[in-house]
Amino acid sequence: MLLLGCDLPGRHTEQHDVFFGVARKVSDLVPDLKAFWPEAGEKLHVDGWREVSHVNNYRITVVPRTETVDNPEQLYFLNLGGYKPGEMEEFHYKLLSVNKDIGAAIRDAKETTFYKHTAFATATSHVDDKYGVDVDDIIPVKDILPAHVRAQYQLKLTPVEDTVTDELYLGYFQLHKL
């Protein structure tokens, strides 16, 4: 999971997006990153990344498409949006959630500190109007992997006892230095 950034021509602030891919090392993803956001050109960079191996109490592994996998749950990516009084900004919180359905993922999102602290009467934290919560985005991760990855691999979610926190790598990472 990578947070991408770039300064697009004609924009006044840096733009961001999230990319999911599969690789042995981050630098192996560079061709996919460039294909994902071609208009970014040479300005494309990574602002942060995480090797997703644990979410909630599940181990996330990438397995061949040919392997039989029985996941009653799915790994969801949520992009929560919220506001603070007096600040001209929509703040975002990117969240991964393992749940049986979108409704359960949204219920969990409503319990986050971000959701509870970035809302007031005229500007509630949100998912997306169609879900009644207003989460900017909620997407099964398997659906947003590059097509060539989906053709070869799938995600396996295995319940585990121990809670493990994936390491976050934050900073300004130029693609040629990954």
Side-chain angles (χ1 to χ4, degrees), residues 8 26 42-43 65 82 88 93 95 105-106 108 112 115 117 123 157:
L8 291 170
V26 176
E42 295 302 312
K43 301 270 187 170
R65 169 78 39 213
M88 183 105 138
Y93 180 65
L95 172 70
I106 289 172
D108 284 354
T112 64
Y115 187 85
H117 291 239
L157 293 84

Side-chain angles (χ1 to χ4, degrees), residues 68-87:
T68 301
V69 173
D70 180 27
N71 290 332
E73 296 85 7
Q74 287 212 45
L75 176 61
Y76 291 100
F77 165 65
L78 292 88
N79 181 28
L80 301 178
Y83 307 93
K84 295 179 183 179
E87 295 199 37

Side-chain angles (χ1 to χ4, degrees), residues 2-61:
L2 293 90
L3 177 62
L4 304 179
C6 75
D7 296 313
L8 291 170
R11 300 287 181 239
H12 301 294
T13 60
E14 183 177 336
Q15 309 292 293
H16 293 93
D17 205 342
V18 174
F19 175 84
F20 288 88
V22 173
R24 296 222 179 266
K25 56 186 190 257
V26 176
S27 60
D28 292 342
L29 292 171
V30 170
D32 286 340
L33 299 178
K34 289 179 177 182
F36 175 72
W37 205 346
E39 42 296 303
E42 295 302 312
K43 301 270 187 170
L44 185 63
H45 62 272
V46 175
D47 284 314
W49 62 276
R50 166 187 176 183
E51 180 179 346
V52 178
S53 65
H54 290 83
V55 175
N56 305 113
N57 286 341
Y58 288 84
R59 182 176 59 242
I60 312 300
T61 53

Side-chain angles (χ1 to χ4, degrees), residues 11 54 63 67 81 85 87 89 99 101 111 128 150 172:
R11 300 287 181 239
H54 290 83
V63 298
E67 184 175 316
E87 295 199 37
E89 183 69 50
N99 277 289
D101 57 48
E111 296 303 315
D128 178 314
R150 289 192 312 264
Y172 182 89

